[in-house]
Amino acid sequence: MKKQFIFALVLLLGALSFAQKKELKTVEKAIKSGNFADAKSAIKSTEPLMANADDKLKAKFYFLKGQALYANGTGSNTDIDQAIESFDMVEQVEGPKGKYGSTIEDLKTQMLNNFLTKANAALQSKDYIASSSGFDKAYRMSPKDTTYLYYAASTAVTGQDYDTSLKYYEELRDLKYKGITTEYTAVNKESGDVEPFDNKDMRMVALKLGTHTAPKEKKTESKSAEIVKNIALIHLNQGNDEKAIEAMKQAREQNPGDLSLLISEANVQLKMGNKVRFKELMQEATLKDPDNAELQYNLGVIAAEAGEKDAAMLYYEKAIELNPSYTDAYNNIAVLILAEEGSIVEEMNSLGNSSADNKRYDELRAKRVEIFESAIPYLETTLKLKPKDVQAAQTLMNIYRGSGQTDKYKAMKAKVEALESGN
């Protein structure tokens, strides 16, 4: 009786193995003919049979399942995600040097290129959600290339899919992603501009051709501060103020000397309306790096956005003191000064024709001219340092006209016309 039972069990296992192989042949045949719908259907009916299959059959099953779901790149997002998991399962079952190893590597390369092509095409057409999905799939296919996950997060936030972008940014944070790369630049002999190159070899070609000179290399800044800042800002956007502050707190505890994180926290505090804390952090930033002209300028921009005009002026002036050629600082000081003109013009337009109104009008006009004259030196310096700055030239032209400096107005008008025509 016992022998009969063993014999029956062998027959049962043999029948099961035969069924497994038969179903897999059906899947394989459908894939070869390009009938991926039938292949997916056959995979579903085959899957329950795989529980007791040996590793050889399991590896083949996951290999075919991956192909059926990927469908030469036409599968749905969910199917493609499962296809990636299936190909990973093949390696888990048979090891990295198994029967399907090289074939899967080729397929993964094909899939990766397909994801990146679609992601870049979607980015060009401003379909940020599709672009984000493509970059995410590229990362899942090649986890060592964490830059793809960074692109997925960036495009998701641009597409205002904040839940998805938050998930990606938090994953990047947990991976301790920094995104530091080497930038290769050289000066274009014809234009005099510093131009970037994709890599060192491309720059070498330009140097050998003689079109460029003065090659330089520098490391880009770490993106860790940007990532944490975006996590905080997304929390802030979603009304999770406490989570936003906590994200910044954790980041600064891990990187106490990171100035960019300090400035990011200042931005978050400002967006939350915490002006006192904002000022404290700004002061802390200047103490950490008092001789950094760019920092002083950026602090000026932030202060100006916060409506802190006096503080912004001090930061811009400090930036100029540290770097007398800081064009943008001169320009922004002029912008701060000219901002006062708006309220004056508004009051001038509201006046009537009484003698009191006429007197007030003359007072306001004189004050407006004073504002113009205060801004002129900064704009003239901007244009001296940056002769092709059309916006600065246009502003000066309007100021000369508004302050009655006819000769200077005419000269600047000619300059603006020349700049706008490209001469």
Side-chain angles (χ1 to χ4, degrees):
M1 185 72 181
K2 187 176 180 182
K3 289 182 179 179
Q4 289 177 340
F5 174 75
I6 293 172
F7 181 66
L9 183 60
V10 170
L11 287 177
L12 179 62
L13 291 174
L16 182 60
S17 177
F18 177 78
Q20 292 166 344
K21 291 177 180 178
K22 183 180 178 182
E23 290 294 336
L24 289 180
K25 281 184 179 180
T26 301
V27 177
E28 198 168 16
K29 184 177 179 181
I31 290 171
K32 285 181 179 178
S33 63
N35 192 340
F36 297 107
D38 283 354
K40 282 173 61 178
S41 178
I43 281 290
K44 285 182 180 179
S45 61
T46 307
E47 196 145 15
L49 301 175
M50 289 295 115
N52 298 313
D54 59 28
D55 286 350
K56 183 178 178 182
L57 276 179
K58 281 183 179 178
K60 184 173 184 179
F61 168 76
Y62 286 120
F63 174 67
L64 293 175
K65 181 180 179 180
Q67 287 184 295
L69 292 170
Y70 178 59
N72 281 342
T74 62
S76 67
N77 284 339
T78 301
D79 283 349
I80 290 175
D81 288 341
Q82 292 179 6
I84 296 171
E85 291 175 5
S86 294
F87 288 138
D88 289 340
M89 282 299 298
V90 175
E91 186 172 330
Q92 287 185 36
V93 171
E94 67 171 9
K97 295 183 180 179
K99 176 181 178 181
Y100 301 103
S102 60
T103 305
I104 287 177
E105 283 303 311
D106 291 341
L107 273 170
K108 282 187 172 182
T109 299
Q110 175 192 331
M111 292 171 73
L112 178 61
N113 291 334
N114 187 34
F115 295 149
L116 291 174
T117 299
K118 288 183 176 180
N120 282 310
L123 183 60
Q124 291 300 316
S125 61
K126 298 184 178 180
D127 186 351
Y128 300 113
I129 304 303
S131 181
S132 176
S133 176
F135 283 124
D136 175 57
K137 283 180 171 51
Y139 168 68
R140 306 303 161 188
M141 180 59 63
S142 182
K144 69 179 185 297
D145 293 314
T146 44
T147 299
Y148 299 148
L149 182 59
Y150 172 76
Y151 291 152
S154 300
T155 46
V157 81
T158 303
Q160 297 183 7
D161 184 355
Y162 297 119
D163 289 337
T164 299
S165 60
L166 179 61
K167 180 178 70 173
Y168 294 157
Y169 278 129
E170 288 180 334
E171 190 173 353
L172 285 163
R173 178 199 60 196
D174 295 343
L175 288 167
K176 295 181 171 54
Y177 173 78
K178 295 187 180 300
I180 298 173
T181 58
T182 303
E183 281 186 349
Y184 300 96
T185 62
V187 176
N188 186 311
K189 285 185 177 179
E190 185 176 345
S191 67
D193 295 332
V194 176
E195 295 180 346
F197 291 83
D198 290 339
N199 53 59
K200 194 173 184 177
D201 292 337
M202 291 183 68
R203 186 185 64 182
M204 182 60 70
V205 171
L207 293 172
K208 286 183 177 180
L209 288 172
T211 58
H212 291 72
T213 186
K216 288 186 178 180
E217 297 176 13
K218 73 171 184 177
K219 296 287 186 182
T220 61
E221 291 185 4
S222 170
K223 291 183 172 61
S224 57
E226 173 198 333
I227 289 165
V228 174
K229 181 186 75 173
N230 286 343
I231 289 172
L233 290 177
I234 291 170
H235 282 312
L236 198 62
N237 178 269
Q238 295 177 333
N240 300 320
D241 293 357
E242 294 305 318
K243 286 186 177 181
I245 292 300
E246 183 60 27
M248 279 296 173
K249 181 182 176 182
Q250 290 178 3
R252 290 197 62 202
E253 284 175 353
Q254 294 171 12
N255 305 276
D258 192 324
L259 190 61
S260 57
L261 277 175
L262 193 158
I263 294 173
S264 293
E265 184 181 346
N267 272 311
V268 171
Q269 294 286 357
L270 177 60
K271 288 182 182 295
M272 291 175 64
N274 300 333
K275 289 190 176 182
V276 173
R277 181 59 180 153
F278 165 74
K279 287 182 179 179
E280 290 173 352
L281 291 168
M282 297 278 268
Q283 290 166 359
E284 185 182 341
T286 56
L287 291 173
K288 280 183 177 292
D289 194 358
D291 297 326
N292 186 328
E294 186 174 357
L295 169 62
Q296 296 291 334
Y297 170 78
N298 288 331
L299 292 173
V301 172
I302 295 170
E305 289 175 353
E308 302 283 343
K309 179 189 170 183
D310 292 341
M313 186 71 77
L314 289 173
Y315 287 128
Y316 291 142
E317 287 173 348
K318 183 64 176 178
I320 290 170
E321 180 186 329
L322 294 168
N323 179 8
S325 298
Y326 210 131
T327 310
D328 290 339
Y330 289 104
N331 188 68
N332 282 17
I333 287 177
V335 171
L336 280 177
I337 293 171
L338 292 172
E340 296 179 15
E341 184 203 5
S343 60
I344 293 174
V345 171
E346 187 177 346
E347 186 179 349
M348 289 172 73
N349 291 334
S350 68
L351 295 173
N353 293 316
S354 67
S355 58
D357 285 342
N358 289 334
K359 182 181 178 182
R360 178 59 178 162
Y361 185 91
D362 290 339
E363 291 172 354
L364 291 171
R365 183 173 58 183
K367 189 173 181 181
R368 188 183 181 209
V369 171
E370 285 179 14
I371 290 172
F372 286 157
E373 289 177 346
S374 297
I376 285 173
Y378 295 103
L379 287 168
E380 287 179 339
T381 303
T382 297
L383 206 55
K384 182 179 179 181
L385 293 168
K386 201 173 180 181
K388 294 184 179 181
D389 190 326
V390 179
Q391 187 174 359
Q394 288 174 334
T395 305
L396 263 177
M397 177 185 73
N398 292 329
I399 286 176
Y400 288 147
R401 179 174 57 186
S403 59
Q405 301 182 56
T406 306
D407 291 342
K408 287 187 175 182
Y409 162 71
K410 289 179 179 179
M412 193 56 61
K413 185 173 184 293
K415 182 176 180 65
V416 169
E417 290 171 352
L419 288 172
E420 290 178 336
S421 66
N423 296 328

